[in-house]
Amino acid sequence: FTVLISLGIELSRELFSKMKKQSLRRYDIDWLRIILFMLLVVYHYLYFSPSALPSRKNLIFVLKILHQWRLAALFVISGIGTAFAFQRRTWQEYLKERSIRLLVPFIFGVYILGGGIESPLATTKHLITIFPKPNVVGHFWFLYNLMIYSLILTPLFEYVSRQPDSFLIRSLETLFEKFHGFGILVLPSVLLALVAIPLKPWAVGKNGSWWEFPWYLLFFLFGYFIKIIKEYFFVFLEKKRAILTLLVPVFILFFYLSEKIGRFPDMWYGGWVKNGAPVFSITATVGTFVQAFHAWIWILFIFSWAAKLLNKPSRILTYLNQAIYPIFIVHQPLTFLVIFLLRGIARDKFFSDFILGPFLVLTSSFLIFEVVKQTHIARFLFGIKSIAAELNEEMKTGISQVKTS
């Protein structure tokens, strides 16, 4: 009897220990996702507003800096979410969920919200091309790319989930420890540059097309492996936070100097061959390396400070996690509508562009979320999960459930 009691106590302790470990949740990743999507709303409003950017060269440079890393960071977070998804799903279940949460909102967004239903045959023809035109898919290209990345990389994800201690994972951990612990900074940046250099000269990378397609795929893959080696990654961020903080202004300066001194046409976006520039040059090559390091350092920087400041629970977090995806889906049509409505009545352009306009877009987006979450069909079209389902997944994973939408 005593032995049975002792065994029961030991099993209870082990179960409690596992539950305690499972209760750990990386709220910082959730908050980062929400903040980055909110930033996207403001960015798009300033970008599309005809009165926001002209004569504001400093603002244009700030938006250019943001563009280098904000979407890349979202793909990283999506990769982290994929790694969590494979913890509790088969690859078939994973692809089924991705189809529901990415493909359905994509089709609904392009045909209904984006007006593609007016010319369904032409819209469909554009969608089955390798890189759909930006005016056809709009901001929904993000979902399009994520769906393709999920399909392409599923065999790799399945292999890693079955072989968590494989030679591949051990090799990655070894490589990341190189360069006095800075391998996790250096190696991804170099890989990004090497992928972009041979592709950038030929065409503009826009809305995730051409050279941006493998570029964002790598960020997505980096996010996946961040979760796999999460202990090492977050220890690195904690130890190197001060250095990363110093590197950010240094590479902003490099980014600025590369643009001003190099004076190379379309260096950040690609396609310079069409403007008569040489295919390869020292200026363009160095600029691409600066661009790659600049983007990845920014991502490490925001992840490091988010881990320190945002890894805290909040009552509003569950709500925002559910709302932010529908907000992303509807924000761009609302942006054009608000810009149109304010154009004739707003006298203070600065106030309308930087405060009133983004506020109206976000407010109306939240109102739409409150409406569409009431019915099953609307939830399906907008890729909304129920709060009960999200809480259930949180209990299963015990770690931040980052949506890959």
Side-chain angles (χ1 to χ4, degrees):
F1 180 73
T2 304
V3 173
L4 289 175
I5 292 177
S6 299
L7 181 60
I9 293 174
E10 187 63 30
L11 289 173
S12 299
R13 285 176 176 173
E14 184 177 349
L15 179 61
F16 177 78
S17 177
K18 289 182 178 179
M19 291 175 64
K20 186 176 180 180
K21 288 180 180 179
Q22 288 183 341
S23 67
L24 296 176
R25 177 183 175 91
R26 294 222 62 96
Y27 300 100
D28 51 334
I29 304 298
D30 289 322
W31 278 117
L32 264 183
R33 176 178 175 270
I34 292 165
I35 292 170
L36 288 169
F37 272 122
M38 294 288 191
L39 182 62
L40 178 70
V41 174
V42 177
Y43 178 96
H44 277 167
Y45 192 92
L46 295 177
Y47 182 83
F48 289 112
S49 175
S51 58
L53 295 184
S55 74
R56 291 194 174 103
K57 292 183 179 180
N58 292 336
L59 176 60
I60 293 174
F61 182 73
V62 170
L63 293 184
K64 191 178 294 185
I65 291 291
L66 290 175
H67 183 69
Q68 302 304 313
W69 58 265
R70 59 183 180 82
L71 285 170
L74 282 171
F75 278 108
V76 171
I77 292 173
S78 298
I80 296 174
T82 291
F84 281 118
F86 261 91
Q87 283 186 326
R88 63 192 185 281
R89 292 178 178 86
T90 64
W91 67 267
Q92 295 95 333
E93 291 170 337
Y94 168 74
L95 289 180
K96 179 182 178 181
E97 185 199 41
R98 292 302 81 202
S99 298
I100 294 173
R101 298 212 63 218
L102 295 175
L103 200 56
V104 171
F106 172 76
I107 294 173
F108 172 71
V110 169
Y111 283 93
I112 305 303
L113 299 180
I117 194 67
E118 294 181 1
S119 304
L121 294 179
T123 301
T124 304
K125 181 179 178 181
H126 285 300
L127 291 183
I128 61 177
T129 58
I130 297 178
F131 299 124
K133 292 183 177 180
N135 63 322
V136 176
V137 295
H139 66 296
F140 300 111
W141 71 265
F142 181 74
L143 308 183
Y144 175 88
N145 280 35
L146 273 181
M147 188 68 224
I148 296 178
Y149 297 162
S150 300
L151 288 170
I152 292 174
L153 295 174
T154 289
L156 174 63
F157 297 155
E158 176 67 7
Y159 168 76
V160 173
S161 67
R162 291 179 177 272
Q163 305 288 336
D165 297 319
S166 64
F167 174 77
L168 172 63
I169 301 303
R170 294 197 305 271
S171 299
L172 282 174
E173 292 175 345
T174 301
L175 288 172
F176 285 154
E177 291 174 357
K178 298 292 185 182
F179 306 106
H180 303 286
F182 279 93
I184 202 167
L185 186 157
V186 175
L187 295 176
S189 302
V190 170
L191 185 57
L192 286 166
L194 293 178
V195 165
I197 286 171
L199 297 175
K200 285 179 69 175
W202 309 104
V204 174
K206 189 175 183 180
N207 292 357
S209 65
W210 192 237
W211 67 268
E212 282 190 350
F213 185 86
W215 178 272
Y216 288 132
L217 184 146
L218 284 176
F219 282 112
F220 181 69
L221 191 60
F222 295 161
Y224 176 83
F225 284 117
I226 281 173
K227 191 275 167 188
I228 300 300
I229 60 165
K230 61 182 183 298
E231 290 83 3
Y232 175 79
F233 178 75
F234 286 103
V235 169
F236 168 83
L237 295 183
E238 181 68 27
K239 290 183 177 179
K240 309 298 184 182
R241 183 178 296 116
I243 297 176
L244 292 171
T245 303
L246 291 174
L247 284 175
V248 166
V250 170
F251 272 87
I252 290 177
L253 178 61
F254 288 166
F255 187 84
Y256 175 81
L257 293 176
S258 298
E259 183 177 80
K260 295 300 179 182
I261 298 176
R263 297 186 179 277
F264 198 85
D266 305 312
M267 181 162 58
W268 307 131
Y269 305 104
W272 53 73
V273 169
K274 296 178 181 179
N275 295 323
V279 177
F280 300 110
S281 67
I282 294 176
T283 301
T285 300
V286 171
T288 301
F289 271 98
V290 169
Q291 186 177 19
F293 272 88
H294 174 253
W296 186 238
I297 286 171
W298 261 105
I299 291 172
L300 295 179
F301 165 75
I302 64 172
F303 269 74
S304 69
W305 281 102
K308 181 177 178 63
L309 302 176
L310 300 178
N311 197 19
K312 301 172 185 178
S314 171
R315 292 181 179 180
I316 198 173
L317 184 59
T318 300
Y319 174 81
L320 290 176
N321 261 335
Q322 198 178 43
I324 200 63
Y325 189 22
I327 288 174
F328 163 75
I329 291 173
V330 303
H331 85 277
Q332 193 151 303
L334 291 174
T335 295
F336 295 132
L337 177 62
V338 170
I339 289 174
F340 174 78
L341 294 176
L342 292 181
R343 181 181 296 182
I345 61 176
R347 296 183 178 180
D348 188 337
K349 295 298 183 182
F350 181 88
F351 176 76
S352 65
D353 286 334
F354 290 86
I355 299 175
L356 181 59
F359 172 78
L360 290 176
V361 173
L362 284 171
T363 302
S364 55
S365 298
F366 275 109
L367 290 175
I368 290 175
F369 165 68
E370 287 297 325
V371 172
V372 301
K373 75 175 186 179
Q374 303 302 323
T375 63
H376 292 293
I377 182 63
R379 298 177 77 94
F380 176 72
L381 294 174
F382 281 83
I384 305 174
K385 289 182 178 181
S386 67
I387 294 178
E390 291 197 350
L391 292 176
N392 184 48
E393 287 190 357
E394 179 182 338
M395 293 177 64
K396 287 181 178 179
T397 61
I399 307 176
S400 175
Q401 174 53 41
V402 184
K403 291 73 179 174
T404 59
S405 49

